[in-house]
Amino acid sequence: MSDDVPTLELRDLHTDFDTRAGVLRAVDGVTLSVGRGEVLGLVGESGSGKSVTGFSIIGLIDPPGRVSSGSIKFQGRELVGLPEPELRRLRGRHIAMIFQDPMMTLNPVLRIDTQMTETIQAHERVSTAEARRRSRDALGQVGIPSPEERLSAYPHQFSGGMRQRVAIAIALLHNPALIIADEPTTALDVTIQAQILAVVQKLASERGTSLLWITHDLSVVAGLADRIAVMYAGRIVESGSVDAVLDHPMHHYTRGLIGSVPSRNQRGHKLVQIPGMTPSPLNRPAGCAFRTRCPAADSACEVEPELIVPVPGRELRCFHPAPDALVAA
Amino acid sequence: MLSRRDTLLLAAAILAPLPVAAQAARRLRMGVALAPNSIDPHYHNTGQNNSALRHVFDTLCNEMGLEEVEPCLAESWKMLDATTWQFDLRKGVTFTDGTPFTADDVIFTFERVPTVPNSPGLYTPFVKPVVKLQAKDPHTLIMTTAAPYPTLPREVAWVQILSRKIHTGATTDDFNSLKVAIGTGPYKITKYVPGDEVQFVRNDAYWGRKQPWETVQLKAVANDSTRLGALLAGDLDLMFRVGTPDLPRVQNDPKVEVSLSPSLEIVYLFPDSTRDVSPNMTDKAGKPLEKNPLRDVRVRRALSMSIDRQAIVDRVMQKAGAPANQIAAPTMEGFNKSLPPIPYDPVAARKLLAEAGYPDGWKMKINGPVGFIANDDKILQAVGSFFSRVGVETEVESVSPAVYFGKATAREYCVFMTSYTGPVAIGDLKALIVTKDPKTGDGPFNRHLYSNKQLDDLVYQAQATLDPVERVRLTGEAMKVGMDDAALIPLVQTMGSVATRKGVVKYNSVPIGWGWAMLAEPLS
Amino acid sequence: MSLIVFVSVYAIGDPVEILVSPQATIKEIEQTRVALGLDQPLWWQYLLFLGHALQGDLGRSFIFHQPALSLVFSRFGATLELALSALLLSTMLGIALGLVAALRVGDWVGRTIMAASIAGLSLPTFWVGTLLVMFFGIWLGWLPAIGRGEVATFLGITSSLFTRDGLAHVILPASTLALGNTALIIRLTRSGAVEALQSDYVRFARAKGLSPTRIVGVHVLKSVLIPLTTIVGLEFGGLVAFSVVTETIYAWPGMGKLIVDSIAVLDRPVIVAYLMMVALLFVVINLVVDLLYRALDPRVGPHT
């Protein structure tokens, strides 16, 4: 499916934060790749390090955080250690990012057209009129009615869903090869969510854009992603094609996640939960980070599990993968 | 320091119409504490108005605070009889619009002086002695006084002369807008910003000595240090009144020339010697005193003796002053040269107090202004501590002049401090300790209503005496009576200070303290 | 308001004593008192004042005998020049330094700026002004120590800001006056900018690949500008009304100097006229700031 060079390739990425309480390993050895035109869903709960992974790729980790080791390759080009002006050239143009809450990410005191044309003019020498025209077209493409009037409006004059469409439009202005979307539908209600997902999917497949879709919501990736990677405590614990992983999860955490989705639970029965809490990143248990909450954990799990490929196309970090069976209904 | 005679000659030389070689265009910037508050020369009698407006308007004679007044628009004068004076006016003088100056203009001026409306302080006292004016010819003026007035030239020296033709019907506003700011003086006004500055340009048609300055700027900078700073920065060429704290420093500055000259200002204390009970006085325990100790002349003398005036001059005034033994300055006409200096003798003071029945003294509060006289609050503090040392526990209170004088006049104080600046000794006596009489208008500043018939008689006699020597003698006698009775307690004579940029300009001070460009000489 | 001012000013002290010459006779003193209307009871004086005030006449200065209102007005221009210069200076310098301080929070540049701003807020104006005069006027001799420079007319407005001499004269007083305000603006800008720099929209702007200049110069600045405008507007009123100390140090012929001189001699009509004008000024400024705020902040404005 993918070409020779993956659009994005992370290898053993480590991102640390220096705090007074010690070194916080937010991303603790992440390896993943996204092919051309592929949608990878990066799933995990809050605190798993998934957002930090996204920011690490784009180079927006500020002190006291830093990418301490590992490699990030974009279209074969190493990004770690790249000087800031180079990174800036990539950002917004070749790698775009969509954030979670567009009310916070759009500057409330600037007009929409300003915020769109500046993105264009930051990377290309075009006239303001031309940039505005392109912005207007982009708004139309994401399904915003009367784009001309909307251009002159301010963010607070839009609804949540509309604002996110604007954010998507901004992301697509330069036809980037990769879009990193960090929980873009979390702040929206379910019906709007579905609309947004539809828009993104359509545009991405039309243009062949690779998507790294970061979310905690399995139901979102289910419909959208080609492949899925599950992240826990800073590490990828399982990855594979979305159907395979969701139908036949091997890692117990993945199983727990799937099981805890409300729609999977029957009425009247207690909701399934994963016992315990996510460990604080400062305080991770040695070995497999999940072992304190895992039903299948034993003394072997005190050693950190290596990445194994149990089945072609699947990756896993677990000593006791669940049997290849459907999760109990 | 020039002797009085030399100063007189110098002043005369400067003001006399001597021909001088052509001058280059020169600018003089003078810094003063206060700017004039009007251009109307009859509006308000204040030092700053008189200084500033004399650049534009002339008087019949010039009062410089010396023994005699000098000729100005009047070349000479004489008494024809006891109540008649003749003034011979200078010929060929014109106002700056070409109108010739004649005796009729003086008549018009005298008519106008008392009529200026809304004035905070008119020049009327100076024209009041004259009941009739007559122009014998265009340059001869006959003045008739109500009573013999031997010192008339000193009075008319304060009245600035206007033109009947130009100034009939002129209002103060007309002057302030510079519409009729036309005089016979050495300069013309080009700009007036109330409270801030006045700008002059040389009057090339002036009758007197041609001025070396093409333009003169009079800039008001109220704060002493700021004004000095402006001089040091080169924004001013000369300035008046150096603040006492700045004196030592600036006297050593190579770029600046400072000259001190005795002024005609006497700082004094006014004790309440008339009332049986006076405020702010209690015994040591805090009970109000039954009898006012200041009624006893021995007490007043004792208090006067307890003050070390020289110490005040040396330490508080940085030697810019002199102890005073009477209510007149040594250069003034009528100054009693034979009065001895008041001794500093705290031991004798204590003895006198005991003799008067106050061996243990009492407690009192004395008052003074702050910001009215240089170092006023510090001088009062010194006085208070001297009193305390002889057993009279004294507290001092200094308040802003805005509230001070009203209270002093209302006699809310038992002893208060202020100063008086008058050109002649008899004037000081008449204003301060002659019996206050609303009918004659005398004693306007005799706030504690001191009254001494012997003193009054001597003063009025002196006033009417034609012979100057006899007049001076009588004045001196009156002064002795007043000082022996300690009607007032004189403290110190202040000094005026002028600072100039060395090598740029030289200023020839006169005792009365005028700030005139006419007294400034360029040095390059 | 006029009642409070009138009563407090007129009940204190006795201007007549200060105004009359030492040679005045008793009769003359009384005449002066009557001429100034000071012999009437206080309540009558106030009623007279009100009556005239409603016709636009706030009386005549006791000292200058010019209409008090026009006297105050004539000085207004000079004070306005000073205040505007100080405002401009403090805004430009304050915003620039505040932004720098926000961008360099940890290092010595940022810390120095903040320390300097504390000094600016705490140092007394009089002292700073005197130091500036000493340094630039006397020691270096670069700038004039006192006064206002020459004026020129441009587009119907006469101001000393249009001449080189005028600008040389206004630098030191404007700097002195601007000191406290600059410090305030530095601190406000810095805290606003620090907050903005940590905000999501700045992060988003970076993700879009915008240059730092654009991010700071447009995004951060615009959001900092809005609360700043309110403060600056109110400060401007303070600058105009209370430039008293600066005007005294530099003998600047503005309203502040006039009021100091008038208080010293109890020129009551001028004091009253001045205070009423200042009150009016504050009302106008508040109005303008309100309007500006609505125009600048789209969330508040008439855009909906």
Side-chain angles (χ1 to χ4, degrees), chain B residues 20-183:
Chain B
V20 179
Q23 314 282 337
R26 261 194 258 265
R27 160 192 81 164
L28 177 68
R29 298 162 302 169
M30 299 200 289
V32 293
L34 291 168
N37 59 329
S38 176
I39 305 297
D40 181 344
H42 299 159
Y43 174 67
H44 191 188
N45 179 11
T46 64
Q48 70 263 25
N49 286 351
N50 292 328
S51 263
L53 297 177
R54 286 301 308 277
H55 289 82
V56 174
F57 304 101
D58 286 320
T59 52
L60 290 177
C61 354
N62 282 329
E63 171 69 81
M64 305 297 232
L66 301 170
E67 264 173 18
E68 317 248 334
V69 288
E70 300 172 352
C72 187
L73 285 181
E75 281 181 322
S76 61
W77 47 86
K78 57 177 184 271
M79 277 188 98
L80 298 179
D81 61 54
T83 57
T84 318
W85 278 86
Q86 174 176 317
F87 286 83
D88 298 311
L89 306 177
R90 200 175 296 274
K91 299 186 176 64
V93 176
T94 57
F95 287 85
T96 53
D97 70 345
T99 309
F101 159 68
T102 66
D104 187 48
D105 294 318
V106 182
I107 299 175
F108 164 72
T109 300
F110 274 57
E111 286 164 4
R112 183 177 188 265
V113 161
T115 65
V116 176
N118 301 303
S119 158
L122 288 170
Y123 288 82
T124 317
F126 305 111
V127 302
K128 244 176 45 134
V130 178
V131 294
K132 195 166 93 156
L133 290 133
Q134 242 185 304
K136 205 162 96 170
D137 61 58
H139 294 100
T140 309
L141 189 61
I142 308 291
M143 291 195 200
T144 313
T145 57
Y149 213 98
T151 55
L152 187 65
R154 290 214 107 105
E155 304 295 328
V156 304
W158 293 89
V159 181
Q160 297 178 44
I161 306 297
L162 298 177
S163 158
R164 187 184 290 277
K165 175 157 162 264
I166 304 170
H167 296 112
T168 298
T171 63
T172 305
D173 285 341
D174 292 329
F175 280 94
N176 291 338
S177 66
L178 304 186
K179 206 172 79 170
V180 294
I182 299 172

Side-chain angles (χ1 to χ4, degrees), chain B residues 37 43-45 118-120 125 173 176 194-196 219 226 229-230 233 235 401-403 405 409 420 436 441 444-445 447, chain C residues 12-14 17-22 24-26 28 32 60 62-66 75 137 144-146 249 251 253 257 266:
Chain B
N37 59 329
Y43 174 67
H44 191 188
N45 179 11
N118 301 303
S119 158
D173 285 341
N176 291 338
D196 185 56
K219 180 90 184 158
T226 313
D235 290 347
V403 298
F405 290 107
T409 307
Y420 193 78
K436 190 167 180 177
F445 299 106
R447 293 185 170 97
Chain C
I12 297 173
D14 183 2
E17 288 268 351
I18 302 173
L19 291 174
V20 296
S21 85
T25 64
I26 299 173
E28 268 106 40
T32 306
R60 281 183 175 252
F62 288 166
I63 304 289
F64 299 104
H65 194 57
Q66 292 185 355
R75 306 290 214 128
I146 56 156
I249 300 172
K257 183 160 174 292
L266 273 192

